[in-house]
Amino acid sequence: MSWRIRRSCCSLCRWRDWSPKRPVHRQLYDIAQLPQTLYFVQILWARYPFDLINSASGRGADAVREHEEILQAFALGDASAAMLAMRKHIESGWTVLKSLSESALAE
């Protein structure tokens, strides 16, 4: 992992450096200099039901902890830990979203 990415991730780990207008997801893609991937992900996010998943009790706090875990792994240069933390974050969100969707359909 390049020193530039590690330095940027270390900066992101400090909450005061996070901008509410630039969520952690976008910042990670900017740091990695992957504009095509960012464009693709922005299309996916446009269709993502944030209103539904954000209505889940405790999901916000869980997501914050998951983001911290990802950024700490990046800052330490631990690619394996970053990959596992990212997978955990995606699976956690999917589990919550799936549960909420199933509950809504059952009503």
Side-chain angles (χ1 to χ4, degrees):
M1 183 178 306
S2 79
W3 65 269
R4 184 185 55 76
I5 292 173
R6 288 184 69 183
R7 185 185 68 213
S8 296
C9 286
C10 286
S11 174
L12 285 174
C13 287
R14 289 176 278 137
W15 286 104
R16 66 182 178 278
D17 291 341
W18 288 31
S19 165
K21 294 183 180 180
R22 292 188 64 207
V24 64
H25 303 95
R26 170 153 181 127
Q27 290 178 341
L28 289 174
Y29 285 106
D30 286 345
I31 290 166
Q33 297 181 342
L34 296 171
Q36 297 88 353
T37 304
L38 176 59
Y39 176 74
F40 174 73
V41 170
Q42 285 175 321
I43 291 169
L44 292 176
W45 288 336
R47 298 181 54 97
Y48 191 81
F50 285 104
D51 55 337
L52 181 59
I53 198 164
N54 289 337
S55 70
S57 177
R59 179 62 194 151
D62 290 344
V64 167
R65 281 191 298 277
E66 292 163 6
H67 289 158
E68 279 186 331
E69 191 176 324
I70 293 164
L71 292 174
Q72 288 295 334
F74 268 97
L76 294 171
D78 189 340
S80 295
M83 181 180 66
L84 290 174
M86 183 65 74
R87 181 176 178 152
K88 176 183 165 188
H89 177 55
I90 292 167
E91 288 176 346
S92 173
W94 171 245
T95 299
V96 170
L97 187 59
K98 187 174 161 188
S99 175
L100 289 170
S101 297
E102 289 170 354
S103 295
L105 289 175
E107 292 177 1

